[in-house]
Amino acid sequence: MTESAVPVDVERLSGIDPAAAGQQLNDKIGMKLLEATAERVVGTIPVEGNLQPYGLLHGGANAVLAEALGSTVAALNAGPDRAAMGLELSCTHHRAVRSGTVTGVATPLHVGRGTITAEIVLTDDEGRRTCTARLTCVVRDRPPGA
């Protein structure tokens, strides 16, 4: 695993409007993508800048990281002519994080024609599990020209 971000062709993965590419929530939380394959997607976020009022990492930041990584693994498994969109996300927050970096690893649990489910495990700098998430994406054919 490297410390530099992996370039990802956002249009190829998601088919989003290029005007929306510069408005991604992932950028706002400081997410870095470190590894991206159909079997495993790894990314990080800093705790600093993503706090709730008590000085802990915000649970919503965990959810954003989990959905971003899970959606990416789903998109890579769906293929270039299909779109994967989040259908259900569940997060269990196990441990508070006050500083450093949180790392997430998304792996597919189920890859089907209509849905893809991923497990996302988030850990702190000491490798302790801080959150376990599960994301199910619906998979649809892309409309022609999309």
Side-chain angles (χ1 to χ4, degrees):
M1 188 167 28
T2 66
E3 288 303 315
S4 62
V6 173
V8 175
D9 184 347
V10 175
E11 277 190 64
R12 184 183 70 77
L13 282 181
S14 62
I16 66 170
D17 179 341
Q23 302 179 50
Q24 300 304 297
L25 184 56
N26 301 348
D27 296 334
K28 294 184 184 340
I29 67 166
M31 188 180 102
K32 291 183 182 175
L33 197 58
L34 304 178
E35 182 181 328
T37 68
E39 295 78 32
R40 178 179 149 107
V41 174
V42 181
T44 63
I45 59 168
V47 174
E48 184 178 343
N50 292 308
L51 301 178
Q52 44 91 306
Y54 298 111
L56 307 173
L57 178 66
H58 197 291
N62 279 340
V64 171
L65 177 60
E67 182 142 359
L69 299 177
S71 293
T72 302
V73 85
L76 290 167
N77 278 280
D81 296 327
R82 306 200 75 209
M85 296 161 280
L87 182 65
E88 180 180 26
L89 174 68
S90 101
C91 298
T92 302
H93 307 287
H94 306 293
R95 172 186 293 275
V97 183
R98 293 185 178 276
S99 63
T101 302
V102 172
T103 301
V105 178
T107 55
L109 295 176
H110 165 78
V111 177
R113 275 186 319 122
T115 61
I116 296 173
T117 300
E119 177 183 56
I120 307 94
V121 175
L122 305 183
T123 57
D124 64 14
D125 286 333
E126 280 131 45
R128 298 176 297 192
R129 187 181 292 230
T130 60
C131 178
T132 302
R134 181 181 302 207
L135 174 69
T136 297
C137 291
V138 63
V139 180
R140 297 283 185 245
D141 290 334
R142 287 204 183 138

